[in-house]
Amino acid sequence: MGRDGEGGAARRRFLKASASLALAGFCGAPRAAGADAAYPAVLEAAAAEQQLAPAQYPATAIWGYNDTTPGPLLRVKQGGRLRITLANGLARQDTTVHWHGIRLPNAMDGVPHLTQPPVRPGERFAYEFDVPDAGTYWYHPHVASYEQVARGLHGALVVEEERPIEVDRDLVWVLADWRMTRRAAIQEDFNDLHDLAHAGRLGSVVTINGRYAREYPLEARAGERVRLRLVNAAVARIFGLRFAAHRPVVVALDGQPVAPHALDERGLVLAPGMRADLVIDFDGKPGGRHVIEDTYYPGDRATLTEIAYADGAHARAGARGAVPPLPANPLAEPDPAKAERHVLALQGGAMGALREARVRGAVLPIQRMLREHHLAWAINGVAGKSHEDAPLLELRRGRHYVLALRNETGWDHPIHLHGHVFRVLARDGTPVPHRPWRDTVLVSRRETVEIALVADNPGDWMLHCHALLHQEGGMMGVIRVG
């Protein structure tokens, strides 16, 4: 595989050194929750190499930020201002950075042509915005994201509470999967039509923080309490995580606090774009080992990694109290009783009922959509491909809305709304426990999910499926708030 991007070796060494402190949070080093951490002034998107596959295989050519995937772990305080410059070191592709889940000004959202010009090879773009909500977020390109994210361009962003809950360690795990050849090279069938019309691009190797997952155990000491922040940066894979012999407590979803509650026997479902904060009390015995399984896909149950207890004395004597709730973020509470209601029908895909859709103003049969435009999906009969398409919805600033996301397809879709968060109210008419705030919600096949929001952030905002080939294949559109 040819490499993309060149030059600047000395500059890359400087960037790598400046990022080293930020990366320490990935490596499981003890770290006081809430402590300040540096982040680099520049994120350079460029070619690099990294050992993603098991140790007996060669390193893989990737695209990364500052020579690594995931990119530097960015930590800022709630209410602080993030200032960082994107440098495009790719040789042949434009790029941007989208700050997934952050309620920021529209001009900083990183969607090419809609909110900013694309950043050309060799050019830079300065991002600067306040971060109003504490929580776990992430960043990635919004240009050819089905390829650029799959090659390694993604990273985590943690916005720290002013008074975080007390834990012994605060860890971040970025989950990703990679479609590889037998020589551990990334397969370059990024826009495969079969993937586009089915579940998306599923990989053959899963990594945690850029390392082969089975070689990256969750190392623990008996008696300690850990906050584990999980980010699903895969382009299509949905994870269903189960922690043998442990009952992690969920304290946040998509960065937003929820009433602390233990995972049930179904475990944690984490679709692309989603995040979850877990608090885990490690009450096993020193030297013990316990499996963390991925059970989402029927018939494909697999060990992701394991919990590995260190030998030696307990980290703490005596029992801990209940996990306390995180402080709430300053969100406008939607009132479904006075909300205006709309339906967004998710349509298309293999074995779907979509026969035709509107593509840039013209109604085309599905065969022409696929053959001429590489489109297989639609929302409300429109296959989104361009920022020039009319908005799916035009919402009035400050008004309350309930959106019914009706999945008419045979596939699951994690739907992400930029610039806002929403309450998840119901699934197929059944109220959802805890009514969590989210920015990405998984809508299962043939399911309808109702969400509620206050349209309080003006601008043109993307709404799309975060199975990124589904987005590229037409399941995207704009919601205008004005």
Side-chain angles (χ1 to χ4, degrees):
M1 182 179 78
R3 296 195 191 176
D4 201 339
E6 58 260 339
R11 180 164 166 250
R12 300 242 190 100
R13 284 194 294 271
F14 168 78
L15 291 169
K16 186 180 290 186
S18 68
S20 62
L21 178 58
L23 284 167
F26 281 131
C27 300
R31 183 181 183 282
D36 288 329
Y39 62 83
V42 176
L43 284 177
E44 184 181 31
E49 286 190 349
Q50 190 158 316
Q51 187 67 42
L52 300 176
Q56 66 268 30
Y57 290 89
T60 299
I62 63 160
W63 294 356
Y65 292 112
N66 298 7
D67 286 342
T68 188
T69 183
L73 172 58
L74 312 181
R75 282 188 182 264
V76 295
K77 290 286 191 180
Q78 183 176 12
R81 194 162 185 84
L82 182 72
R83 298 178 178 88
I84 200 161
T85 296
L86 169 67
N88 186 357
L90 305 175
R92 297 185 298 275
Q93 287 196 17
D94 300 343
T95 194
T96 63
V97 176
H98 167 57
W99 308 94
H100 186 119
I102 299 291
R103 297 186 300 131
L104 41 54
N106 189 254
M108 295 288 103
D109 195 45
V111 180
H113 305 292
L114 186 69
T115 70
Q116 70 167 90
V119 182
R120 309 291 185 190
E123 294 182 349
R124 295 183 169 214
F125 186 91
Y127 293 94
E128 183 173 347
F129 52 88
D130 295 333
V131 283
D133 303 328
T136 303
Y137 305 94
W138 68 300
Y139 58 94
H140 63 82
H142 232 287
V143 176
S145 52
Y146 62 94
E147 177 181 355
Q148 294 191 12
V149 176
R151 288 188 185 272
L153 288 173
H154 51 259
L157 167 61
V158 171
V159 183
E160 298 181 328
E161 301 92 358
E162 183 178 345
R163 289 182 293 277
I165 58 177
E166 183 181 349
V167 294
D168 296 302
R169 287 186 296 153
D170 183 332
L171 305 180
V172 179
W173 274 13
V174 178
L175 305 175
D177 79 337
W178 311 79
R179 181 176 291 180
M180 291 187 175
T181 69
R182 297 191 179 191
R183 294 295 299 162
I186 296 174
Q187 287 191 10
E188 303 214 1
D189 54 344
F190 296 106
N191 210 354
D192 178 78
L193 268 178
H194 181 275
D195 292 340
L196 182 144
H198 290 75
R201 179 186 172 90
L202 297 174
S204 52
V205 170
V206 174
T207 59
I208 300 171
N209 294 342
R211 289 176 54 187
Y212 181 56
R214 293 196 187 186
E215 296 175 357
Y216 195 88
L218 177 48
E219 297 177 345
R221 289 185 65 198
E224 70 174 341
R225 173 173 283 184
V226 169
R227 181 173 180 173
L228 178 62
R229 303 171 185 263
L230 296 162
V231 178
N232 185 351
V235 296
R237 180 175 296 278
I238 302 170
F239 292 93
L241 303 181
R242 298 177 65 180
F243 296 74
H246 292 76
R247 291 291 302 277
V249 173
V250 183
V251 294
L253 295 170
D254 288 358
Q256 304 300 330
V258 296
H261 59 280
L263 286 179
D264 60 25
E265 65 280 357
R266 294 171 297 180
L268 175 70
V269 174
L270 205 66
M274 290 182 174
R275 292 89 62 214
D277 289 33
L278 307 179
V279 173
I280 307 175
D281 286 335
F282 290 102
D283 51 8
K285 296 180 180 180
R289 304 184 85 86
H290 305 274
V291 169
I292 301 176
E293 286 187 306
D294 179 10
T295 63
Y296 185 77
Y297 295 100
D300 192 25
R301 185 169 180 158
T303 296
L304 178 73
T305 186
E306 62 181 4
I307 298 167
Y309 279 85
D311 294 323
H314 280 65
R316 176 184 298 267
R320 290 184 179 271
V323 176
L326 294 169
N329 284 319
L331 304 175
E333 184 68 48
D335 183 354
K338 66 179 184 182
E340 184 178 313
R341 293 174 178 263
H342 297 274
V343 174
L344 294 174
L346 313 178
Q347 302 159 319
M351 299 171 287
L354 186 68
R355 296 291 174 262
E356 61 183 22
R358 187 171 296 276
V359 179
R360 295 182 180 177
V363 176
L364 301 180
I366 187 69
Q367 294 83 359
R368 282 190 61 191
M369 288 170 54
L370 278 167
R371 184 175 63 251
E372 298 177 13
H373 299 278
H374 232 61
L375 295 169
W377 306 94
I379 302 177
N380 286 358
V382 177
K385 190 72 171 178
S386 169
H387 64 284
E388 299 171 353
D389 291 332
L392 291 169
L393 294 174
E394 297 193 35
L395 309 183
R396 297 287 298 276
R397 187 177 182 183
R399 298 281 183 89
H400 297 234
Y401 295 90
V402 170
L403 307 181
L405 305 174
R406 189 175 68 212
N407 187 351
E408 299 177 356
T409 82
W411 306 92
D412 299 341
H413 301 289
I415 299 299
H416 173 50
L417 174 61
H418 290 211
H420 294 76
V421 295
F422 47 79
R423 289 278 196 192
V424 182
L425 302 181
R427 293 181 178 274
D428 288 336
T430 301
V432 172
H434 311 292
R435 295 201 337 161
W437 290 104
R438 305 213 69 142
D439 56 66
T440 308
V441 63
L442 181 61
V443 188
S444 297
R445 61 196 70 185
R446 314 299 180 190
E447 180 184 49
T448 296
V449 175
E450 289 190 341
I451 64 174
L453 72 149
V454 178
D456 57 0
N457 198 356
D460 284 359
W461 300 101
M462 286 286 297
L463 178 137
H464 63 91
C465 180
H466 226 282
L468 293 175
L469 269 178
H470 293 177
Q471 173 200 311
E472 179 67 12
M475 193 170 285
M476 60 182 286
V478 170
I479 291 186
R480 176 168 294 162
V481 176

